[in-house]
Amino acid sequence: MQDGARPNRTEKLFRFLDEYFGNRVIALDYPKFTGTEMDWPPYSPDLTPCDYFLWGSWKDIVYRNHPSKLDELESAICVAYNSISVETLKDVMSNFILRLRHFIFSNYEHFENIVF
């Protein structure tokens, strides 16, 4: 999910998720399909490394030279991808774990304005 786009929540997708992951799925509207109780908090970019780190970081690198053609954009995306160090990814994942712990501590409620 990117830029506020709604996720795919079709019955076919939920059946697939249920078959392969069972009760380990946390997704918007999944409880309505399965009758389980835990729902993914709507619009929770605080929990998604791609939302709170990757897109912003990559956007700066990708659009630095204002690509105007598809091949230029593709090349810029590859440069951005290769520019992220393993150490940075480890830091992002450590931060992700902290965010998940905060989410659990908040009793699975929405949280915002937390600096990690």
Side-chain angles (χ1 to χ4, degrees):
M1 186 166 66
Q2 178 180 350
D3 296 333
R6 301 288 293 177
N8 182 348
R9 297 186 325 261
T10 63
E11 182 177 342
K12 185 176 180 180
L13 173 69
F14 286 151
R15 288 196 190 286
F16 172 82
L17 293 173
D18 193 50
E19 180 180 338
Y20 287 94
F21 300 105
N23 66 354
R24 296 177 294 159
V25 177
I26 302 172
L28 185 62
D29 290 338
Y30 189 72
K32 292 177 189 173
F33 172 75
T34 62
T36 59
E37 298 205 13
M38 185 173 222
D39 198 0
W40 188 258
Y43 303 108
S44 56
D46 297 327
L47 298 178
T48 310
C50 288
D51 283 339
Y52 73 77
F53 168 74
L54 190 58
W55 300 138
S57 174
W58 274 13
K59 190 162 55 170
D60 293 342
I61 297 168
V62 168
Y63 292 106
R64 182 178 298 144
N65 294 324
H66 308 287
S68 60
K69 297 181 181 170
L70 189 56
D71 61 331
E72 292 173 355
L73 179 61
E74 183 178 331
S75 177
I77 291 170
C78 289
V79 168
Y81 174 82
N82 290 322
S83 73
I84 298 177
S85 70
V86 172
E87 191 61 39
T88 298
L89 293 175
K90 286 179 182 178
D91 290 344
V92 168
M93 293 315 297
S94 293
N95 188 279
F96 179 55
I97 291 167
L98 290 174
R99 288 168 185 269
L100 289 176
R101 287 182 180 153
H102 185 77
F103 180 60
I104 291 167
F105 182 74
S106 71
N107 200 29
Y108 309 103
E109 296 291 327
H110 178 76
F111 62 92
E112 58 184 68
N113 300 326
I114 305 289
V115 178
F116 289 92

